[in-house]
Amino acid sequence: MDTEKTTGVKEDIRQKEIVLGSLRQAVLQNLDSSIQTDQFLLNMGPQHPSTHGVLRVLLDLDGERIKRSVPDLGYLHRGTEKIAEYRTYNQIIPLTDRLDYVSAMANNYAFVRTVEKLLQLKVPERAEFVRTIVAEVQRIVNHLFWLGTQALDIGAMSVFFYTFREREELLDIFEILCGARLTTNYYRVGGVESDIPQHVVDRLYRFIDAFDGNIREYNTLLETNRIWLARTKNIAVITAEDAINFGLSGPTLRGSGVPYDLRKFEPYGAYDQVEFDVPVGQNGDIYDRYWIRIEEMRQSAKIVRQCLDKLPSGPIMTDDHKVSFPEKGNVMHNMETLIHHFLLVVHGFNVPPGDTYCGTETPKGELGFYIVSDGTGKPYRMKIRAPSFVNMGAFDFMAKGYMIADIITIFGTYDIVMGECDR
Amino acid sequence: MTLKSLVKSVLFTEIMQGLKLTFTHMFKKKITVQYPHQKLELADGYRGFIVHRRYENGQERCVGCDLCEAICPAKAIRVVGDIHPEFPERRFAKEYTLDFTRCIFCGFCVVACPVNALSMTKEYAHSSFTREGLIYSKDQLLTLGDKCESESIAYLKVRNMWGAEDSGKDEGRYHFPPISATQSGG
């Protein structure tokens, strides 16, 4: 980002800071002045329908207000980082599906990008476009899922049916592309697994044409609904400075007015060849984060349309056969290819020694992989920077002073998925 | 508060708008599927249950090369290879177990198989009351493969693994090692 832009953004943030700070102060004062009762500890979860998985929170209550909340993580810990040290790079791709199981494609993308950065591998242009299309479709799927469940948590049930209707259509497209709806395993180091057929392209065009009307449908149910507004406006306010200090990312950060989006700042894939806006909020409350996700869906649809228009022809896998599997026909005919195939399957491909971090803008925020390679076919160490986990760090801060019923809404606003949080 | 907004807040217009929307959907086409009686059409190349395949003459394709065991990220496959009792120049899988309680249906075993002995089907609703019931032996996988032969071929075609089969080159089909026409009857 150039300096002129930076100072402009900084000034903008400072202005908002003053407004938001006073708002937050008022909430905390309200907490202090309320009637002091005995300390009341409430255990919430891990088996609670609104925690979106297995999250346990210890709530320290003053009447109905939250004084302190301690999230207890780790119920869904599966040791993905440790397992990865014993798997070849290709074998890790299906493991990343299970991190954020609502948007598996985005996890695949984040992982293969890191490995490609270590290998300094060039991906064919068509593959870059297909990856971008699929990643944006995944963003729409994730936000639809979020919108449905968030509204369901608050009590607006019908939105759930409408969002899942559209999600179903997109998951069907994933099923054609890769054979699975959730655990996709679609991206490969150096490209994607299968090409995007023409009938899927047509289907995507049809979906995008109708999608704007669908978003208006959800807005009819929510945007002006006074119950929705009362439950979301001025709840879980976080200022831009606090949001940055807590390391928040994704819509949770942009809701506070920080236009930080890796797709814009460090363009990857085909994002530098398409036009899109990064929506930012003003108040940093739940309503703003809702609005941002709605707007992001519109922008994603815009990106998908531009990518489909520009979709170049060509290969979808890199021609570097040190990395990509040889064609099955050659394996069955050619002895040299067969030996190479055996080596790739059993040993994997070697990655030059070194370490790298690579962040990708997933629907939840910045998902980063840090891989240390010792030159063999398996990573020496793999660290996952999961956005849900980092966002959870601000939970106590954001929940302090609000009513106990707002806890449900605050869980929802992070778009938290425990598979990624506990890894 | 203006008069207009007062009227709006008294009459609950936004709730009325929402109700109007849900009401109109009563006359639109239903999108729900009555699952056990009515099933969705799955796409070709759906990654369902894994099966073993045979050649046209009924001979099992698996040569017990261990590649599926090596690539399986969930360590669900166990292969014990041995020399074929009838053809001493040929290998086969003496024991082959696929643990569907561990399987994550990633499809890598099919990619790894050098003789197209494995494929995936549209079967997804296999269940069992015991853990052992979901650990499939080679015979069970072959029986399932016979049942879903067209699906398994469609999977390989969609995933671009059918090239060698259609090329017409005979040596490509029986590569591990080549079997002469007289032996293929077994």
Side-chain angles (χ1 to χ4, degrees):
Chain A
M1 197 163 54
D2 51 281
T3 44
E4 200 175 295
K5 221 164 151 189
T6 322
T7 44
V9 168
K10 272 183 183 164
E11 186 53 40
D12 210 31
I13 289 169
R14 203 173 301 127
Q15 289 291 323
K16 280 167 192 159
E17 217 53 8
I18 300 161
V19 183
L20 292 180
S22 58
L23 202 68
R24 185 157 179 86
Q25 211 58 43
V27 172
L28 290 177
Q29 264 169 17
N30 194 8
L31 178 70
D32 292 337
S33 63
S34 61
I35 307 158
Q36 292 293 314
T37 53
D38 286 342
Q39 192 196 37
F40 188 78
L41 265 180
L42 183 72
N43 175 52
M44 186 182 170
Q47 306 296 335
H48 191 280
S50 81
T51 54
H52 297 274
V54 275
L55 170 64
R56 174 166 170 256
V57 186
L58 270 174
L59 298 170
D60 189 355
L61 301 173
D62 171 25
E64 244 195 302
R65 292 204 175 270
I66 298 150
K67 274 165 77 181
R68 200 167 60 99
S69 51
V70 185
D72 182 9
L73 307 176
Y75 283 91
L76 208 60
H77 177 69
R78 292 152 298 175
T80 309
E81 290 177 5
K82 192 68 188 169
I83 296 173
E85 290 168 20
Y86 297 90
R87 298 285 185 272
T88 62
Y89 287 94
N90 267 330
Q91 284 179 313
I92 298 169
I93 300 171
L95 295 183
T96 62
D97 287 341
R98 277 117 184 122
L99 290 177
D100 172 4
Y101 37 76
V102 179
S103 49
M105 292 281 196
N107 303 338
N108 290 172
Y109 200 6
F111 175 72
V112 298
R113 273 192 65 221
T114 318
V115 181
E116 278 159 14
K117 199 174 161 188
L118 268 174
L119 286 165
Q120 297 185 329
L121 193 71
K122 188 95 180 65
V123 180
E125 208 187 352
R126 184 179 172 87
E128 290 282 29
F129 271 84
V130 172
R131 282 174 169 203
T132 311
I133 291 167
V134 172
E136 288 309 308
V137 169
Q138 181 70 78
R139 194 180 305 277
I140 296 174
V141 169
N142 179 79
H143 286 350
L144 284 173
F145 184 87
W146 170 83
L147 180 63
T149 49
Q150 167 82 330
L152 188 69
D153 285 345
I154 292 180
M157 196 162 177
S158 11
V159 188
F160 183 79
F161 301 125
Y162 297 139
T163 56
F164 267 55
R165 178 189 57 190
E166 269 76 66
R167 182 172 175 268
E168 190 71 18
E169 169 73 18
L170 293 177
L171 290 187
D172 281 347
I173 286 171
F174 282 172
E175 193 183 301
I176 297 169
L177 280 180
C178 58
R181 296 155 66 83
L182 287 178
T183 50
T184 50
N185 189 17
Y186 180 59
Y187 290 70
R188 292 284 180 274
V189 177
V192 289
E193 188 218 1
S194 61
D195 205 355
I196 184 163
Q198 187 57 39
H199 66 99
V200 169
V201 172
D202 297 339
R203 239 173 121 166
L204 274 173
Y205 269 126
R206 270 204 303 281
F207 177 83
I208 293 162
D209 289 339
F211 191 52
D212 225 30
N214 292 327
I215 293 179
R216 271 203 296 281
E217 216 166 54
Y218 318 141
N219 280 349
T220 317
L221 291 166
L222 292 177
E223 209 169 38
T224 51
N225 188 322
R226 70 187 68 174
I227 306 165
W228 174 260
L229 291 179
R231 290 298 300 274
T232 55
K233 281 242 169 186
N234 295 333
I235 306 283
V237 179
I238 189 161
T239 62
E241 196 191 2
D242 287 333
I244 291 167
N245 288 345
F246 273 111
L248 303 187
S249 54
T252 324
L253 175 66
R254 291 195 284 273
S256 300
V258 187
Y260 178 72
D261 191 324
L262 283 171
R263 292 176 294 169
K264 271 275 190 243
F265 285 178
E266 295 168 14
Y268 52 89
Y271 287 114
D272 49 350
Q273 298 176 47
V274 292
E275 276 180 29
F276 65 101
D277 302 322
V278 178
V280 286
Q282 285 179 337
N283 302 323
D285 59 2
I286 292 180
Y287 182 81
D288 275 19
R289 292 189 275 272
Y290 149 77
W291 179 83
I292 278 171
R293 289 193 172 102
I294 291 276
E295 198 56 37
E296 266 186 16
M297 281 198 275
R298 288 208 179 96
Q299 296 300 330
S300 293
K302 205 168 132 188
I303 295 171
V304 172
R305 186 190 293 277
Q306 288 177 59
C307 284
L308 288 174
D309 287 341
K310 288 182 182 172
L311 193 65
S313 54
I316 50 155
M317 245 341 240
T318 175
D319 53 3
D320 183 354
H321 289 294
K322 282 266 180 266
V323 171
S324 65
F325 280 111
E327 206 184 317
K328 206 60 170 286
N330 285 340
V331 174
M332 294 167 91
H333 287 299
N334 190 335
M335 183 45 90
E336 291 299 317
T337 322
L338 182 72
I339 293 166
H340 178 61
H341 182 76
F342 262 71
L343 214 97
L344 259 181
V345 167
V346 177
H347 183 77
F349 49 82
N350 283 354
V351 170
D355 60 331
T356 192
Y357 173 82
C358 182
T360 306
E361 188 72 28
T362 62
K364 307 264 189 312
E366 179 184 340
L367 174 65
F369 280 87
Y370 175 72
I371 296 178
V372 183
S373 167
D374 55 357
T376 58
K378 293 164 185 173
Y380 177 76
R381 170 86 173 93
M382 187 177 91
K383 163 91 182 92
I384 304 161
R385 185 231 185 256
S388 290
F389 178 72
V390 180
N391 290 357
M392 213 48 209
F395 182 73
D396 178 38
F397 182 79
M398 279 164 85
K400 198 174 278 173
Y402 295 101
M403 307 290 271
I404 191 166
D406 292 329
I407 277 279
I408 313 289
T409 338
I410 297 168
F411 278 138
T413 191
Y414 290 123
D415 197 358
I416 190 167
V417 163
M418 296 313 288
E420 180 182 60
C421 201
D422 296 340
R423 302 190 289 285
Chain B
M1 193 183 273
T2 60
L3 188 71
K4 202 174 168 188
S5 63
L6 187 75
V7 170
K8 266 190 177 173
S9 66
V10 170
L11 290 179
F12 289 91
T13 46
E14 79 277 4
I15 308 278
M16 286 299 152
Q17 271 173 1
L19 284 175
K20 196 177 118 195
L21 180 84
T22 44
F23 191 76
T24 50
H25 272 278
M26 278 172 46
F27 304 105
K28 287 188 180 166
K29 203 180 149 223
K30 285 191 179 61
I31 53 160
T32 45
V33 176
Q34 303 301 320
Y35 166 63
H37 312 295
Q38 194 187 350
K39 280 176 185 168
L40 286 172
E41 184 85 8
L42 292 169
D44 278 348
Y46 181 79
R47 297 206 307 258
F49 266 63
I50 301 161
V51 294
H52 264 232
R53 299 182 59 240
R54 295 178 198 270
Y55 289 113
E56 290 87 341
N57 56 18
Q59 176 123 37
E60 62 181 64
R61 284 182 180 232
C62 181
V63 290
C65 71
D66 270 11
L67 277 195
C68 45
E69 186 180 334
I71 205 168
C72 183
K75 306 280 174 234
I77 302 174
R78 183 170 154 270
V79 189
V80 180
D82 201 358
I83 292 164
H84 203 285
E86 289 170 43
F87 315 111
E89 79 278 26
R90 198 185 145 86
R91 288 181 71 82
F92 84 123
K94 193 169 69 178
E95 283 176 47
Y96 191 104
T97 50
L98 211 167
D99 187 348
F100 279 112
T101 58
R102 287 188 70 98
C103 180
I104 59 171
F105 300 97
C106 63
F108 273 151
C109 48
V110 185
V111 175
C113 187
V115 287
N116 277 354
L118 288 168
S119 184
M120 294 184 116
T121 61
K122 295 179 190 173
E123 296 281 319
Y124 55 88
H126 285 223
S127 52
S128 166
F129 284 108
T130 56
R131 273 164 193 256
E132 291 74 29
L134 279 171
I135 301 174
Y136 277 38
S137 66
K138 193 174 70 179
D139 292 334
Q140 280 170 297
L141 290 167
L142 277 167
T143 319
L144 195 61
D146 294 341
K147 195 185 132 201
C148 315
E149 202 187 346
S150 60
E151 285 172 17
S152 61
I153 290 172
Y155 180 88
L156 292 172
K157 280 183 178 164
V158 167
R159 294 274 167 265
N160 298 323
M161 294 180 208
W162 196 252
E165 308 271 337
D166 270 346
S167 67
K169 286 187 203 163
D170 225 27
E171 75 272 24
R173 297 187 169 201
Y174 309 102
H175 201 83
F176 241 164
I179 300 169
S180 61
T182 47
Q183 285 174 335
S184 61

